[in-house]
Amino acid sequence: MSFGVVQSAITSMKNNRSLLSKKDRLKNTLSSSIDKNKPVYSKSTLRMLHHIKQRLKEERRNRLLKIILVFGFVISVVLSVFFYLL
């Protein structure tokens, strides 16, 4: 059996883990969230919120238009190939 190979793999993983800094090991844990690391949100005015809302509506409309155009093009190509084969 190859217990020596498994033991060497375990030893190698332990050695690699010890090479990492403790800061990196604790970065993704729940206990690492400290109040100073929380994002600071600025106060938004109604005008800024209205502008953001309008921009999002415009982006959504543009994305929908692109999807409709691509879908229409693909459908027209598929239908033309289908009728050509008939």
Side-chain angles (χ1 to χ4, degrees), residues 72-86:
F73 179 74
V74 169
I75 290 295
S76 65
V77 168
V78 168
L79 287 176
S80 64
V81 168
F82 178 72
F83 285 125
Y84 178 76
L85 293 176
L86 286 176

Side-chain angles (χ1 to χ4, degrees), residues 16-29 31-32:
N16 289 342
R17 196 175 309 125
S18 69
L19 291 174
L20 294 174
S21 70
K22 290 187 181 192
K23 181 179 178 183
D24 290 339
R25 278 190 274 168
L26 297 176
K27 187 186 336 182
N28 295 326
T29 61
S31 63
S32 69

Side-chain angles (χ1 to χ4, degrees), residues 33-79:
S33 61
I34 301 172
D35 288 340
K36 67 180 180 181
N37 289 337
K38 290 184 180 178
V40 177
Y41 298 108
S42 63
K43 299 289 183 183
S44 300
T45 63
L46 290 176
R47 187 176 204 170
M48 290 171 58
L49 292 175
H50 181 70
H51 179 69
I52 292 170
K53 184 177 178 182
Q54 291 298 324
R55 191 176 64 208
L56 287 174
K57 280 184 181 179
E58 184 179 333
E59 288 176 4
R60 191 179 315 125
R61 186 171 20 99
N62 289 341
R63 189 174 353 151
L64 182 63
L65 181 64
K66 287 178 186 177
I67 290 171
I68 290 172
L69 288 175
V70 168
F71 185 71
F73 179 74
V74 169
I75 290 295
S76 65
V77 168
V78 168
L79 287 176

